[in-house]
Amino acid sequence: MTATMSKSPGAGMYPPVAKLNLAADPRKMRRIIAEDPEWSLTVVPLLSNLCLQHIVRNFEEKPILEELLPRHKDYVLERLSPSLPLQVTANLISDDGYWKRCCKQRWGLCDVSSYGHSWKRMFFERHLENIIELYIPDATDPKTVLGMVPLCRNYVKRLDISQLMPPIKEPQKSEDDDNSDSASDMGMDGPSMDHFDFGILLDKLSHLEEFHVVYRVKGCGMNFEWNLFEFTFRDCESLAKALKSCKTLRVLRIHQSKVDDEKCRQLVNNLLDHPSLRELNLSHNLIGDRGARAIGKLLNRSKLERLTVYDNNIRGLGAQAIAYALAKNSSLLSLNLRLNRLGDEGGQAIAQALLKNRTLKWLHLGGNEMTEPTATVLSQVLVQNNTLRSINLSCNRLGMDGGKVLEEGMCHNSSMVECDIRLTEVGQESDYCISQVVRNNRNQAHRKHNTDENLA
């Protein structure tokens, strides 16, 4: 390779320029080497990011969160695995975004609106429910439940238990088959408990307000046995004591569990004078008149606001006991007795109580074999009672005459905004007149509500 020097005006001002001789030997020409394919323009990570990544990787062994700056804390929370042990995360992480990822990973579609829009509450309530629903007496270690208490007691406000597993059935001799049920109830040979014992848990959940439970097994399929749906007296006794110890409980629902009169009385005896209970639901059970008398006693010794006992076996005498308590009660706002067997004896008793009661707003007596005599007393209620807002009399044979007396009473009423008389065999004219009065009352109530809002 040779070069020639050239001069130009002002050559003294610039360094000499070398020109390549392209005709030179190609083997001696300068070659361009391809760049390294692994070389990157990525900026070297910040030391702070490297430290945060280290915290994320080692969070289970050494959790560091509260000591971080807010932006660094957000960085760590976004990258933490939702599979970390609850012993590490439960009382340390309050960020709802992290618990949302935990819920989504475990259950997929989730509706957080029924959990006070708190993902953390949703996670721990559903997690604890799952542990209880899969608990098998004398087979599952109680520590699996008790170990969760320190982690979840500050976040669980409601438990909705949709199934309870019975003990594992031991092989029995044929001569013992006839005595198996009695042995279970009397606490003789057999498992220590027939289902999960809530006595070890409820008093430890210091924020529990709602408790729903069904004594059954879901999806048993071909393994169906009646004992899978048995709420024994021993279960009832332990549950009643547990409910009594839970002083924060406001809503109790025990449905589809074959609660009969004896079990109802046992439950009620432990709920008398409960400091916070406001709603009781014992629907789809086997409660008769003796159980209804116990419920009437509870009305006088509690602050219940909602009582729901539909689809039971309550007849006239039981309704009379509830009516006697209702006449003196000053806290109950809603009473649902539909799908019982009150008849006119019970229907008239409830109606007579409403002539004295001044707090009840919602009453459901649908499907109770009531006829015209009950409608006659209810007509008096419509005239004298200005508190009742809604009444449901559907699926009762009130008849044409019953419809006329209700129509007459409704013409003097200005507070009723709902009146369901479907399938009651009242005449079309009575049905129309009653619906018109209800519509006018509803419009008047709506206008009054708007006026009050404007004044406020």
PDB file of all heavy atoms in Angstrom, residues 226-246:
ATOM      1  N   TRP A 226     -77.114 -41.162  53.289  1.00  0.00           N
ATOM      2  CA  TRP A 226     -77.853 -40.165  54.057  1.00  0.00           C
ATOM      3  C   TRP A 226     -76.997 -39.530  55.144  1.00  0.00           C
ATOM      4  O   TRP A 226     -77.212 -38.370  55.513  1.00  0.00           O
ATOM      5  CB  TRP A 226     -79.101 -40.809  54.678  1.00  0.00           C
ATOM      6  CG  TRP A 226     -80.224 -40.957  53.712  1.00  0.00           C
ATOM      7  CD1 TRP A 226     -80.785 -42.111  53.253  1.00  0.00           C
ATOM      8  CD2 TRP A 226     -80.937 -39.890  53.057  1.00  0.00           C
ATOM      9  NE1 TRP A 226     -81.786 -41.855  52.349  1.00  0.00           N
ATOM     10  CE2 TRP A 226     -81.902 -40.491  52.212  1.00  0.00           C
ATOM     11  CE3 TRP A 226     -80.843 -38.503  53.083  1.00  0.00           C
ATOM     12  CZ2 TRP A 226     -82.771 -39.745  51.422  1.00  0.00           C
ATOM     13  CZ3 TRP A 226     -81.712 -37.756  52.298  1.00  0.00           C
ATOM     14  CH2 TRP A 226     -82.662 -38.371  51.487  1.00  0.00           C
ATOM     15  N   ASN A 227     -76.040 -40.268  55.675  1.00  0.00           N
ATOM     16  CA  ASN A 227     -75.233 -39.687  56.745  1.00  0.00           C
ATOM     17  C   ASN A 227     -74.333 -38.568  56.246  1.00  0.00           C
ATOM     18  O   ASN A 227     -73.776 -37.813  57.045  1.00  0.00           O
ATOM     19  CB  ASN A 227     -74.378 -40.778  57.424  1.00  0.00           C
ATOM     20  CG  ASN A 227     -73.276 -41.296  56.516  1.00  0.00           C
ATOM     21  OD1 ASN A 227     -73.470 -41.436  55.307  1.00  0.00           O
ATOM     22  ND2 ASN A 227     -72.128 -41.599  57.089  1.00  0.00           N
ATOM     23  N   LEU A 228     -74.190 -38.417  54.926  1.00  0.00           N
ATOM     24  CA  LEU A 228     -73.427 -37.294  54.385  1.00  0.00           C
ATOM     25  C   LEU A 228     -74.184 -35.977  54.554  1.00  0.00           C
ATOM     26  O   LEU A 228     -73.616 -34.900  54.372  1.00  0.00           O
ATOM     27  CB  LEU A 228     -73.127 -37.522  52.903  1.00  0.00           C
ATOM     28  CG  LEU A 228     -72.294 -38.762  52.562  1.00  0.00           C
ATOM     29  CD1 LEU A 228     -72.087 -38.848  51.049  1.00  0.00           C
ATOM     30  CD2 LEU A 228     -70.954 -38.741  53.279  1.00  0.00           C
ATOM     31  N   PHE A 229     -75.461 -36.058  54.886  1.00  0.00           N
ATOM     32  CA  PHE A 229     -76.299 -34.872  55.035  1.00  0.00           C
ATOM     33  C   PHE A 229     -76.906 -34.809  56.438  1.00  0.00           C
ATOM     34  O   PHE A 229     -77.971 -34.250  56.637  1.00  0.00           O
ATOM     35  CB  PHE A 229     -77.422 -34.887  53.985  1.00  0.00           C
ATOM     36  CG  PHE A 229     -76.915 -34.937  52.580  1.00  0.00           C
ATOM     37  CD1 PHE A 229     -76.559 -36.139  51.988  1.00  0.00           C
ATOM     38  CD2 PHE A 229     -76.764 -33.778  51.836  1.00  0.00           C
ATOM     39  CE1 PHE A 229     -76.080 -36.185  50.692  1.00  0.00           C
ATOM     40  CE2 PHE A 229     -76.289 -33.815  50.542  1.00  0.00           C
ATOM     41  CZ  PHE A 229     -75.940 -35.015  49.963  1.00  0.00           C
ATOM     42  N   GLU A 230     -76.212 -35.354  57.404  1.00  0.00           N
ATOM     43  CA  GLU A 230     -76.746 -35.476  58.755  1.00  0.00           C
ATOM     44  C   GLU A 230     -76.136 -34.421  59.671  1.00  0.00           C
ATOM     45  O   GLU A 230     -74.925 -34.344  59.840  1.00  0.00           O
ATOM     46  CB  GLU A 230     -76.447 -36.872  59.308  1.00  0.00           C
ATOM     47  CG  GLU A 230     -77.124 -37.165  60.629  1.00  0.00           C
ATOM     48  CD  GLU A 230     -78.623 -37.314  60.489  1.00  0.00           C
ATOM     49  OE1 GLU A 230     -79.087 -37.642  59.381  1.00  0.00           O
ATOM     50  OE2 GLU A 230     -79.330 -37.105  61.488  1.00  0.00           O
ATOM     51  N   PHE A 231     -77.002 -33.586  60.260  1.00  0.00           N
ATOM     52  CA  PHE A 231     -76.606 -32.612  61.270  1.00  0.00           C
ATOM     53  C   PHE A 231     -76.985 -33.219  62.620  1.00  0.00           C
ATOM     54  O   PHE A 231     -78.122 -33.155  63.049  1.00  0.00           O
ATOM     55  CB  PHE A 231     -77.335 -31.297  61.007  1.00  0.00           C
ATOM     56  CG  PHE A 231     -77.053 -30.206  62.011  1.00  0.00           C
ATOM     57  CD1 PHE A 231     -75.772 -29.993  62.494  1.00  0.00           C
ATOM     58  CD2 PHE A 231     -78.075 -29.381  62.452  1.00  0.00           C
ATOM     59  CE1 PHE A 231     -75.516 -28.978  63.409  1.00  0.00           C
ATOM     60  CE2 PHE A 231     -77.831 -28.367  63.348  1.00  0.00           C
ATOM     61  CZ  PHE A 231     -76.553 -28.158  63.835  1.00  0.00           C
ATOM     62  N   THR A 232     -76.019 -33.843  63.274  1.00  0.00           N
ATOM     63  CA  THR A 232     -76.311 -34.592  64.495  1.00  0.00           C
ATOM     64  C   THR A 232     -76.480 -33.657  65.684  1.00  0.00           C
ATOM     65  O   THR A 232     -76.100 -32.475  65.645  1.00  0.00           O
ATOM     66  CB  THR A 232     -75.188 -35.589  64.790  1.00  0.00           C
ATOM     67  OG1 THR A 232     -73.989 -34.864  65.112  1.00  0.00           O
ATOM     68  CG2 THR A 232     -74.926 -36.490  63.590  1.00  0.00           C
ATOM     69  N   PHE A 233     -77.043 -34.199  66.761  1.00  0.00           N
ATOM     70  CA  PHE A 233     -77.216 -33.382  67.961  1.00  0.00           C
ATOM     71  C   PHE A 233     -75.864 -33.001  68.549  1.00  0.00           C
ATOM     72  O   PHE A 233     -75.710 -31.929  69.131  1.00  0.00           O
ATOM     73  CB  PHE A 233     -78.046 -34.143  69.004  1.00  0.00           C
ATOM     74  CG  PHE A 233     -78.511 -33.274  70.125  1.00  0.00           C
ATOM     75  CD1 PHE A 233     -79.607 -32.433  69.981  1.00  0.00           C
ATOM     76  CD2 PHE A 233     -77.846 -33.273  71.343  1.00  0.00           C
ATOM     77  CE1 PHE A 233     -80.033 -31.610  71.005  1.00  0.00           C
ATOM     78  CE2 PHE A 233     -78.261 -32.455  72.378  1.00  0.00           C
ATOM     79  CZ  PHE A 233     -79.365 -31.624  72.214  1.00  0.00           C
ATOM     80  N   ARG A 234     -74.875 -33.855  68.388  1.00  0.00           N
ATOM     81  CA  ARG A 234     -73.534 -33.524  68.872  1.00  0.00           C
ATOM     82  C   ARG A 234     -72.952 -32.363  68.061  1.00  0.00           C
ATOM     83  O   ARG A 234     -72.316 -31.461  68.626  1.00  0.00           O
ATOM     84  CB  ARG A 234     -72.630 -34.756  68.778  1.00  0.00           C
ATOM     85  CG  ARG A 234     -71.254 -34.542  69.361  1.00  0.00           C
ATOM     86  CD  ARG A 234     -70.540 -35.830  69.667  1.00  0.00           C
ATOM     87  NE  ARG A 234     -70.404 -36.715  68.521  1.00  0.00           N
ATOM     88  CZ  ARG A 234     -69.606 -37.784  68.516  1.00  0.00           C
ATOM     89  NH1 ARG A 234     -68.904 -38.091  69.584  1.00  0.00           N
ATOM     90  NH2 ARG A 234     -69.532 -38.548  67.447  1.00  0.00           N
ATOM     91  N   ASP A 235     -73.188 -32.370  66.754  1.00  0.00           N
ATOM     92  CA  ASP A 235     -72.800 -31.219  65.934  1.00  0.00           C
ATOM     93  C   ASP A 235     -73.488 -29.956  66.433  1.00  0.00           C
ATOM     94  O   ASP A 235     -72.870 -28.892  66.556  1.00  0.00           O
ATOM     95  CB  ASP A 235     -73.189 -31.452  64.469  1.00  0.00           C
ATOM     96  CG  ASP A 235     -72.320 -32.483  63.784  1.00  0.00           C
ATOM     97  OD1 ASP A 235     -71.129 -32.568  64.125  1.00  0.00           O
ATOM     98  OD2 ASP A 235     -72.833 -33.199  62.909  1.00  0.00           O
ATOM     99  N   CYS A 236     -74.785 -30.074  66.674  1.00  0.00           N
ATOM    100  CA  CYS A 236     -75.582 -28.918  67.081  1.00  0.00           C
ATOM    101  C   CYS A 236     -75.086 -28.357  68.409  1.00  0.00           C
ATOM    102  O   CYS A 236     -74.991 -27.132  68.585  1.00  0.00           O
ATOM    103  CB  CYS A 236     -77.045 -29.329  67.184  1.00  0.00           C
ATOM    104  SG  CYS A 236     -78.157 -27.973  67.619  1.00  0.00           S
ATOM    105  N   GLU A 237     -74.773 -29.223  69.319  1.00  0.00           N
ATOM    106  CA  GLU A 237     -74.310 -28.784  70.638  1.00  0.00           C
ATOM    107  C   GLU A 237     -73.005 -28.018  70.546  1.00  0.00           C
ATOM    108  O   GLU A 237     -72.839 -26.951  71.150  1.00  0.00           O
ATOM    109  CB  GLU A 237     -74.167 -30.011  71.542  1.00  0.00           C
ATOM    110  CG  GLU A 237     -73.976 -29.682  73.004  1.00  0.00           C
ATOM    111  CD  GLU A 237     -73.992 -30.925  73.879  1.00  0.00           C
ATOM    112  OE1 GLU A 237     -73.658 -32.014  73.353  1.00  0.00           O
ATOM    113  OE2 GLU A 237     -74.338 -30.817  75.056  1.00  0.00           O
ATOM    114  N   SER A 238     -72.056 -28.547  69.788  1.00  0.00           N
ATOM    115  CA  SER A 238     -70.755 -27.870  69.648  1.00  0.00           C
ATOM    116  C   SER A 238     -70.893 -26.570  68.876  1.00  0.00           C
ATOM    117  O   SER A 238     -70.262 -25.559  69.205  1.00  0.00           O
ATOM    118  CB  SER A 238     -69.746 -28.790  68.967  1.00  0.00           C
ATOM    119  OG  SER A 238     -70.128 -29.076  67.629  1.00  0.00           O
ATOM    120  N   LEU A 239     -71.764 -26.555  67.835  1.00  0.00           N
ATOM    121  CA  LEU A 239     -71.966 -25.329  67.067  1.00  0.00           C
ATOM    122  C   LEU A 239     -72.630 -24.261  67.919  1.00  0.00           C
ATOM    123  O   LEU A 239     -72.255 -23.081  67.858  1.00  0.00           O
ATOM    124  CB  LEU A 239     -72.824 -25.633  65.835  1.00  0.00           C
ATOM    125  CG  LEU A 239     -73.189 -24.426  64.960  1.00  0.00           C
ATOM    126  CD1 LEU A 239     -71.942 -23.761  64.402  1.00  0.00           C
ATOM    127  CD2 LEU A 239     -74.128 -24.839  63.835  1.00  0.00           C
ATOM    128  N   ALA A 240     -73.614 -24.637  68.718  1.00  0.00           N
ATOM    129  CA  ALA A 240     -74.312 -23.665  69.562  1.00  0.00           C
ATOM    130  C   ALA A 240     -73.351 -22.995  70.538  1.00  0.00           C
ATOM    131  O   ALA A 240     -73.397 -21.768  70.734  1.00  0.00           O
ATOM    132  CB  ALA A 240     -75.443 -24.362  70.311  1.00  0.00           C
ATOM    133  N   LYS A 241     -72.479 -23.777  71.152  1.00  0.00           N
ATOM    134  CA  LYS A 241     -71.502 -23.204  72.086  1.00  0.00           C
ATOM    135  C   LYS A 241     -70.528 -22.282  71.357  1.00  0.00           C
ATOM    136  O   LYS A 241     -70.134 -21.231  71.889  1.00  0.00           O
ATOM    137  CB  LYS A 241     -70.745 -24.320  72.794  1.00  0.00           C
ATOM    138  CG  LYS A 241     -71.611 -25.142  73.739  1.00  0.00           C
ATOM    139  CD  LYS A 241     -70.809 -26.270  74.378  1.00  0.00           C
ATOM    140  CE  LYS A 241     -71.688 -27.097  75.319  1.00  0.00           C
ATOM    141  NZ  LYS A 241     -70.938 -28.232  75.922  1.00  0.00           N
ATOM    142  N   ALA A 242     -70.154 -22.664  70.145  1.00  0.00           N
ATOM    143  CA  ALA A 242     -69.235 -21.828  69.367  1.00  0.00           C
ATOM    144  C   ALA A 242     -69.886 -20.496  69.011  1.00  0.00           C
ATOM    145  O   ALA A 242     -69.252 -19.441  69.072  1.00  0.00           O
ATOM    146  CB  ALA A 242     -68.805 -22.566  68.110  1.00  0.00           C
ATOM    147  N   LEU A 243     -71.164 -20.533  68.629  1.00  0.00           N
ATOM    148  CA  LEU A 243     -71.878 -19.299  68.276  1.00  0.00           C
ATOM    149  C   LEU A 243     -72.007 -18.376  69.487  1.00  0.00           C
ATOM    150  O   LEU A 243     -71.915 -17.151  69.363  1.00  0.00           O
ATOM    151  CB  LEU A 243     -73.253 -19.638  67.712  1.00  0.00           C
ATOM    152  CG  LEU A 243     -73.262 -20.404  66.386  1.00  0.00           C
ATOM    153  CD1 LEU A 243     -74.679 -20.835  66.029  1.00  0.00           C
ATOM    154  CD2 LEU A 243     -72.669 -19.555  65.264  1.00  0.00           C
ATOM    155  N   LYS A 244     -72.231 -18.958  70.631  1.00  0.00           N
ATOM    156  CA  LYS A 244     -72.354 -18.152  71.845  1.00  0.00           C
ATOM    157  C   LYS A 244     -71.058 -17.435  72.168  1.00  0.00           C
ATOM    158  O   LYS A 244     -71.061 -16.300  72.661  1.00  0.00           O
ATOM    159  CB  LYS A 244     -72.761 -19.052  73.009  1.00  0.00           C
ATOM    160  CG  LYS A 244     -73.013 -18.300  74.309  1.00  0.00           C
ATOM    161  CD  LYS A 244     -73.492 -19.247  75.403  1.00  0.00           C
ATOM    162  CE  LYS A 244     -73.789 -18.488  76.692  1.00  0.00           C
ATOM    163  NZ  LYS A 244     -74.299 -19.405  77.758  1.00  0.00           N
ATOM    164  N   SER A 245     -69.939 -18.070  71.874  1.00  0.00           N
ATOM    165  CA  SER A 245     -68.632 -17.477  72.187  1.00  0.00           C
ATOM    166  C   SER A 245     -68.206 -16.412  71.189  1.00  0.00           C
ATOM    167  O   SER A 245     -67.282 -15.647  71.451  1.00  0.00           O
ATOM    168  CB  SER A 245     -67.565 -18.576  72.234  1.00  0.00           C
ATOM    169  OG  SER A 245     -67.351 -19.130  70.944  1.00  0.00           O
ATOM    170  N   CYS A 246     -68.871 -16.366  70.022  1.00  0.00           N
ATOM    171  CA  CYS A 246     -68.499 -15.394  68.984  1.00  0.00           C
ATOM    172  C   CYS A 246     -69.306 -14.113  69.206  1.00  0.00           C
ATOM    173  O   CYS A 246     -70.416 -13.959  68.685  1.00  0.00           O
ATOM    174  CB  CYS A 246     -68.765 -15.978  67.596  1.00  0.00           C
ATOM    175  SG  CYS A 246     -68.190 -14.939  66.245  1.00  0.00           S
TER     176      CYS A 246
END
